[in-house]
């Protein structure tokens, strides 16, 4: 295929992108400490989202396209109002860089994973931490949330994945199979299975039931 548009606006490496459900807009996060909201029909930047003080590693966008969350090396996450381009809340709780974020389908909660070896479940209405998810012994590279918003899975440099119950904040299962860092995760649309990718050159399909 051919490139449809080249989206220019960042002044540094781009680490993360997310697209709205209708495919009309996208958000990117960059080494330049900003996020940009893009109109994918025109290829133009709609908003430059300024608030972080260090590189933005991760972004996620709500299904309705009205808000987003970003995670940064400044140890914070920011909830963005995409209608105004303004920060609604700055989420403080991690003690090291935030490497990954995911949002529940209803847009009410989000989970972040950090170099501090924890995940935090956030209430996006209040900007408060609901639970700190402790179980990994090294930094957390990626997280994903089930479509019903009840469980999450995280992948870590400790070579494991953990399935979390988001109602209790407790680990349900620690998934052992990789021998090196787990860098990336994806979940099936029905939320019954996940796949992890690792530094050991392998992917593993996990049954989340």
């Amino acid at each position: 295929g051919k490139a449809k548009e080249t989206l220019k606006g960042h002044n540094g490496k781009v680490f993360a992108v997310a697209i709205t459900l209708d495919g009309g807009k996208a958000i990117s996060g960059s080494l330049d400490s900003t996020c940009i909201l893009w109109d994918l029909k025109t290829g133009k930047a709609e908003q430059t989202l300024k608030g972080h003080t260090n590189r933005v590693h991760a972004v996620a966008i709500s299904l309705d396209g009205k808000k987003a969350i970003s995670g940064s090396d400044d140890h914070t996450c920011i909830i963005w109002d995409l209608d105004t381009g303004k920060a609604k809340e700055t989420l403080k709780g991690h003690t090291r860089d935030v490497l990954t974020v995911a949002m529940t389908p209803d847009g009410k909660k989000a989970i972040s994973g950090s170099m501090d070896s924890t995940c935090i479940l956030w209430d996006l209405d209040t900007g408060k931490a609901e639970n700190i998810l402790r179980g990994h012994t090294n930094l957390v590279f990626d997280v994903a949330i089930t479509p019903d918003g009840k469980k999450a899975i995280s992948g870590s440099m400790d070579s494991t994945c953990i399935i979390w119950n988001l109602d209790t904040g407790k680990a349900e299962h620690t998934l052992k199979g990789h021998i090196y860092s787990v860098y990336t995760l994806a979940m099936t649309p029905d939320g019954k299975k996940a796949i992890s990718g690792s530094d050991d050159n392998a992917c593993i399909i996990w049954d989340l039931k």
Side-chain angles (χ1 to χ4, degrees):
K2 295 181 180 179
K4 186 176 180 181
E5 296 283 351
T6 300
L7 310 180
K8 296 181 179 180
H10 284 299
N11 295 312
K13 296 176 183 178
V14 177
F15 290 106
V17 293
I19 299 173
T20 56
L21 184 63
D22 65 8
K25 296 183 182 181
I27 188 171
S28 56
S30 170
L31 179 67
D32 66 14
S33 304
T34 73
C35 298
I36 294 179
L37 178 66
W38 303 95
D39 183 327
L40 297 184
K41 294 172 184 170
T42 65
K44 304 298 183 184
E46 281 195 359
Q47 303 274 358
T48 298
L49 312 181
K50 297 180 179 180
H52 285 298
T53 59
N54 208 325
R55 78 182 73 187
V56 179
H57 263 299
V59 292
I61 196 165
S62 61
L63 289 181
D64 62 11
K66 292 185 178 299
K67 62 185 170 185
I69 184 171
S70 56
S72 170
D73 281 9
D74 65 13
H75 307 176
T76 73
C77 298
I78 292 178
I79 308 167
W80 302 97
D81 182 327
L82 297 184
D83 289 330
T84 64
K86 303 296 184 184
K88 293 179 69 175
E89 296 281 351
T90 298
L91 310 181
K92 297 179 180 179
H94 286 296
T95 58
R96 295 189 66 190
D97 305 6
V98 180
L99 301 181
T100 180
V101 291
M103 197 180 296
T104 56
D106 62 10
K108 293 182 178 180
K109 297 181 182 181
I111 187 171
S112 57
S114 170
M115 287 181 70
D116 66 14
S117 305
T118 73
C119 298
I120 296 180
L121 179 66
W122 303 97
D123 183 320
L124 298 186
D125 290 328
T126 65
K128 305 297 184 185
E130 278 197 2
N131 274 305
I132 299 176
L133 312 182
R134 304 181 191 275
H136 285 299
T137 59
N138 212 322
L139 60 88
V140 179
F141 279 118
D142 204 9
V143 291
I145 298 175
T146 55
D148 62 11
K150 293 183 178 180
K151 294 183 182 182
I153 184 171
S154 57
S156 170
M157 188 179 270
D158 66 14
S159 78
T160 72
C161 298
I162 294 179
I163 302 172
W164 303 95
N165 183 314
L166 296 185
D167 288 330
T168 65
K170 304 297 183 183
E172 289 192 346
H173 302 286
T174 298
L175 308 177
K176 298 179 179 180
H178 288 296
I179 58 174
Y180 295 125
S181 300
V182 179
Y183 283 115
T184 187
L185 295 162
M187 196 173 294
T188 56
D190 61 10
K192 293 181 179 180
K193 296 180 187 296
I195 185 168
S196 56
S198 169
D199 210 15
D200 60 16
N201 301 340
C203 295
I204 296 177
I205 298 173
W206 304 99
D207 189 339
L208 300 187
K209 291 185 292 183

